[in-house]
Amino acid sequence: MQLVVARIGRAHGIKGEVTVEVRTDEPELRLGPGAVLATEPASTGPLTIETGRVHSGRLLLRFEGVRDRTAAEALRNTLLIAEVDPAELPEDPEEFYDHQLMDLDVVLADGTEIGRITEITHLPSQDLFIVERPDGTEVMIPFVEEIVAEIDLEEQRAVITPPPGLIDESQAIVVSTRDEEADSVEDGSSQAGSGEAGKDA
């Protein structure tokens, strides 16, 4: 099975390095020196990774035969594709490959059907499930522990506990700025929202 593990970004420097947008939870395994990757478009590959390093929080790769900025820039937006055994599972039991999650039924804790996962979007802060509802509309579900309570691969379903308004906008809780200011005056304090850590997919 072929999985997209990265997308090549801009050239970095003048010696053929490129930035990459990582799309795998195992970059050290999939994007290490010596790895040979297929590409999309296929005409730019296969590419063999020669070196890799992290610079300012971004992964930089250099490929065999790519020696200058012009050659590196020509690879921009190329997808890097690894061959993965379909039976292979991530080392962490709380992690999942995209192909394991695709087409899972999404349901509430009480069994109410929400839809089916049709796409997984990887953002810097978290991953999102794109869920197609029975009526053809789509809803985005953040793949975080607070919302995705369970992934059951045997039953082929994802159980979610969404906050009000995530699934049905008519249930959204609207708090006016005036109400928040009144609460702050009464409490003598202000409350900051807490960030959510994304779960790997």
Side-chain angles (χ1 to χ4, degrees):
M1 172 178 288
Q2 293 188 321
L3 295 178
V4 174
V5 293
R7 181 180 67 85
I8 297 177
R10 293 181 295 180
H12 179 85
I14 61 173
K15 296 183 178 180
E17 283 186 313
V18 295
T19 62
V20 294
E21 174 192 317
V22 177
R23 297 189 180 180
T24 173
D25 296 317
E26 301 169 312
E28 66 287 345
L29 175 64
R30 308 295 179 197
L31 300 171
V36 180
L37 302 168
T39 61
E40 176 60 44
S43 59
T44 60
L47 294 173
T48 301
I49 297 175
E50 186 173 278
T51 64
R53 65 187 179 97
V54 176
H55 175 73
S56 298
R58 297 294 301 270
L59 179 61
L60 302 179
L61 296 179
R62 180 186 288 117
F63 301 101
E64 290 183 3
V66 179
R67 288 288 175 261
D68 57 37
R69 187 178 183 87
T70 301
E73 193 63 37
L75 297 174
R76 190 168 184 173
N77 292 324
T78 296
L79 297 178
L80 299 176
I81 303 168
E83 191 69 38
V84 177
D85 184 342
E88 181 180 337
L89 299 176
E91 294 181 2
D92 188 336
E94 294 299 315
E95 294 181 355
F96 305 89
Y97 291 135
D98 285 6
H99 70 271
Q100 295 177 287
L101 301 171
M102 290 292 290
D103 292 324
L104 291 188
D105 292 325
V106 178
V107 300
L108 300 180
D110 64 4
T112 301
E113 179 185 1
I114 300 301
R116 177 178 60 88
I117 298 174
T118 58
E119 185 181 342
I120 298 162
T121 300
H122 300 281
L123 302 178
S125 59
Q126 65 188 20
D127 297 328
L128 291 175
F129 291 159
I130 309 301
V131 177
E132 182 178 318
R133 307 196 67 175
D135 62 4
T137 61
E138 291 184 338
V139 61
M140 293 185 292
I141 308 292
F143 190 12
V144 295
E145 293 181 13
E146 294 84 355
I147 297 175
V148 180
E150 180 186 5
I151 297 292
D152 188 335
L153 295 180
E154 288 189 5
E155 296 293 330
Q156 286 291 287
R157 67 177 190 171
V159 180
I160 64 171
T161 54
L166 181 63
I167 302 300
D168 186 347
E169 293 183 359
S170 67
Q171 297 177 354
I173 299 174
V174 179
V175 180
S176 71
T177 304
R178 182 177 299 174
D179 290 340
E180 290 180 343
E181 290 174 350
D183 290 342
S184 296
V185 171
E186 292 175 3
D187 296 343
S189 63
S190 60
Q191 183 175 4
S194 59
E196 293 177 332
K199 183 190 294 182
D200 296 322

